[in-house]
Amino acid sequence: MKGNGTQLLLEENEKLRREEKMLRLLCDTSSSAFIYYNFREDRVDTLGNWDHFFDFSISSMDDLSKLYDRVEEQYEIPLREGLFIEKQWMDRDSFEIKLKESRLSIEVEVNVVYDSEGEPTDKIIRFKDVTKLTSQKDELTYMAYYDMLTGLYNRNYFVRLLGEFLRRAEKETKKVAVMFMDFDDFRRVNDGMGIIAGDELVQLFGQYLTGLMNSHVVISHFSTDIYCIAIYDPCGARSVETIYRVIRERLKKPFKMMDGQEVTMTVSVGVSEYPEAAPGTLELINCAEIVMFKAKSRGKDKIQYFEGAILEEFLQTVNIQNKLKEVVFEQNFTMYFQPQYYAENGKFRGVEALIRWRDNKGVMISPAVFIPIAEKNGTIVPIGNWVIEKSVQTYAGWRDKYHYPLILSLNVSAVQCKKRGFIDSLMKILEKYDVSPGEIEIEVTETILIEDFDYISERLGELKSAGVRISLDDFGTGFSSLSYLKGLPIDTLKIDKTFVDTLLTDKNTKIITESIIYMVKRLGYETIAEGVETREQYQYLKELECDMIQGYYMGRPMPAQGISDLLENLTVKVG
């Protein structure tokens, strides 16, 4: 029996040694480090990958104080409390600390074992390296809140912060201002210097804006070259005017690029305020964006504050854009024609084709409203093509029926004129209806020349070479320079209605009009005055030897049938 007892003891000891070896092996191959403390024996052991974390040893619980000097200050108290959780009658706790020098992030887990009487017997403290995981979490957190290019807040987090501003402002009866800011002509940087240079410029400006942020001012990089600033209780040093002035002062100095180039930029800014402009975050941002575009339309490098009329204009524009997409040409558009006469003898010279639009509800929409919108969204091209074909078709019908020599004037936009294939398309339509190019007059405005003078002049030259007449419309309201006329292939110059309106009442207008007619005739062009509404205006322009007259006095814009009736009467008289 004694022999059997000894054998069992030996086997039990061997089993314990194997288990201890296995435990040691597990601890040594683990990436974590452990402290084991036996309360009854007051014994401390360290196991695992201790040297990876610490450059000191632990031989007693008093040595734990060495840990306090190694962690960053904000983690010292949580570490003290966590290491001695048995004082709080807890059996488990975990928390995170960060070491000063190594910058390791460590997850600390403490487990305490109690006996049946509630007294602690054993304690295990585990240290796990979570630096990589924490770094990934920090990176994800950064990506969730910040823009990677500029370091400013990203759009989503900015909206969240703005929402907090608004909730606070509602409770405290304060205002919140939003500044929507966009570089002017940023495309010239991307096109001229490359996208990378554009990103560098966006980054440099964003870094500057970072310095303007504080607890009352948050700034976001929205997209591309757009930034958004939210200001809580804007006043004093954080007023919109002050921040705008500071930004403009910075923009007076060029940005130094990595390749040594210097770039100077300006910005257009739209401003909306809570609660006057809008009650919510997205609406407030949208209002600021809308008035920013208004600032651009006023010449750029400007600031525009929100006004109800601007929003109403914007909504009208959107409404018209949507309606233009639904337009059925023959159903919605119709052509009117306004007669033109020779001033000297009152002979019928021709007509100007004018488009009219009645929407699906029967409401007439002015060309002055929808044409600029159509030019911006590209629908002017199909509209312009329809106008040309419809007008030429109608004109051909008059000519074939009445055999009266006329000139058909067609208005052409800059977008349409610059479109590849425009001239070929025009010529095919003329050929289709057997209309001679010499019977057609293309009208272009002065503003078309500002965009690309050389290119447009070349295209007009091609039209003139093909036999088409060229008329310069709205003279005096755009480029306003007589010196460039000698380089244009034009036949006719139209004196704008704004001159005719005050021709008889304003001395300066008289002098300017007389000078225009005299100089233009010396250059060999014909002149036509539009907007003539009274006999007195007509007589005076005739005395000035203005070649042609157009306006309500001689004839209002009318449907095609009105011109047919006019031609019918003329041919009867001639017959």
Side-chain angles (χ1 to χ4, degrees), residues 271 277 287 290-291 294 304-313:
V271 181
C287 287
I290 289 167
V291 294
K294 186 68 175 179
Q304 174 69 53
Y305 291 85
F306 176 82
E307 297 172 6
I310 297 175
L311 178 60
E312 188 175 333
E313 178 186 338

Side-chain angles (χ1 to χ4, degrees), residues 284-544:
L284 201 61
I285 293 170
N286 287 340
C287 287
E289 182 180 11
I290 289 167
V291 294
M292 182 274 291
F293 285 115
K294 186 68 175 179
K296 283 189 179 294
S297 70
R298 290 175 52 227
K300 305 176 184 179
D301 191 22
K302 288 180 172 57
I303 187 170
Q304 174 69 53
Y305 291 85
F306 176 82
E307 297 172 6
I310 297 175
L311 178 60
E312 188 175 333
E313 178 186 338
F314 173 78
L315 293 175
Q316 182 189 34
T317 299
V318 172
N319 184 40
I320 291 174
Q321 285 177 335
N322 292 333
K323 286 180 178 179
L324 280 171
K325 295 175 184 176
E326 302 168 359
V327 156
V328 178
F329 288 113
E330 295 294 340
Q331 292 180 13
N332 298 99
F333 289 136
T334 187
M335 293 307 303
Y336 272 51
F337 301 88
Q338 186 169 26
Q340 298 172 339
Y341 294 88
Y342 291 103
E344 184 179 359
N345 55 22
K347 184 181 178 182
F348 189 22
R349 185 247 189 187
V351 294
E352 179 183 0
L354 302 167
I355 189 171
R356 294 293 183 262
W357 178 21
R358 190 182 300 275
D359 68 13
N360 293 330
K361 295 181 179 179
V363 177
M364 290 294 290
I365 301 174
S366 169
V369 173
F370 75 81
I371 292 295
I373 296 170
E375 287 180 326
K376 286 182 180 179
N377 69 9
T379 54
I380 191 64
V381 174
I383 290 173
N385 292 340
W386 182 85
V387 166
I388 291 174
E389 174 135 15
K390 188 69 175 177
S391 301
V392 171
Q393 181 187 29
T394 303
Y395 170 82
W398 293 328
R399 182 205 55 197
D400 295 344
K401 183 175 182 180
Y402 301 108
H403 306 288
Y404 193 98
L406 293 177
I407 299 294
L408 173 64
S409 294
L410 300 168
N411 291 282
V412 175
S413 75
V415 177
Q416 194 175 3
C417 188
K418 291 166 74 173
K419 194 77 174 175
R420 182 175 296 180
F422 165 68
I423 295 177
D424 289 340
S425 175
L426 173 63
M427 293 304 164
K428 285 178 182 177
I429 291 173
L430 297 182
E431 184 179 350
K432 178 180 177 180
Y433 295 102
D434 193 25
V435 173
S436 168
E439 299 171 79
I440 300 299
E441 184 173 67
I442 295 296
E443 291 194 18
V444 295
T445 61
E446 284 190 89
T447 51
I448 195 176
L449 301 165
I450 299 173
E451 297 179 17
D452 194 337
F453 182 85
D454 293 334
Y455 180 75
I456 296 296
S457 296
E458 184 180 335
R459 302 302 297 277
L460 295 180
E462 291 178 39
L463 285 168
K464 189 169 176 62
S465 297
V468 176
R469 298 174 59 87
I470 307 296
S471 174
L472 185 62
D473 196 7
D474 300 336
F475 184 79
T477 62
F479 212 17
S480 301
S481 173
L482 288 166
S483 62
Y484 73 93
L485 287 177
K486 63 180 185 293
L488 284 175
I490 64 173
D491 300 279
T492 308
L493 185 142
K494 266 193 166 184
I495 300 170
D496 189 69
K497 183 180 184 299
T498 55
F499 288 95
V500 177
D501 285 344
T502 56
L503 181 64
L504 302 178
T505 57
D506 184 74
K507 181 181 178 182
N508 291 332
T509 302
K510 276 188 177 183
I511 295 171
I512 293 171
T513 306
E514 290 173 5
S515 301
I516 289 173
I517 293 173
Y518 174 76
M519 293 183 69
V520 168
K521 290 182 76 67
R522 292 291 298 271
L523 288 170
Y525 308 141
E526 290 183 312
T527 54
I528 180 167
E530 60 181 349
V532 179
E533 298 183 354
T534 66
R535 178 174 179 78
E536 290 75 20
Q537 290 172 340
Y538 167 63
Q539 288 295 342
Y540 188 75
L541 287 164
K542 182 179 178 180
E543 289 172 13
L544 293 179

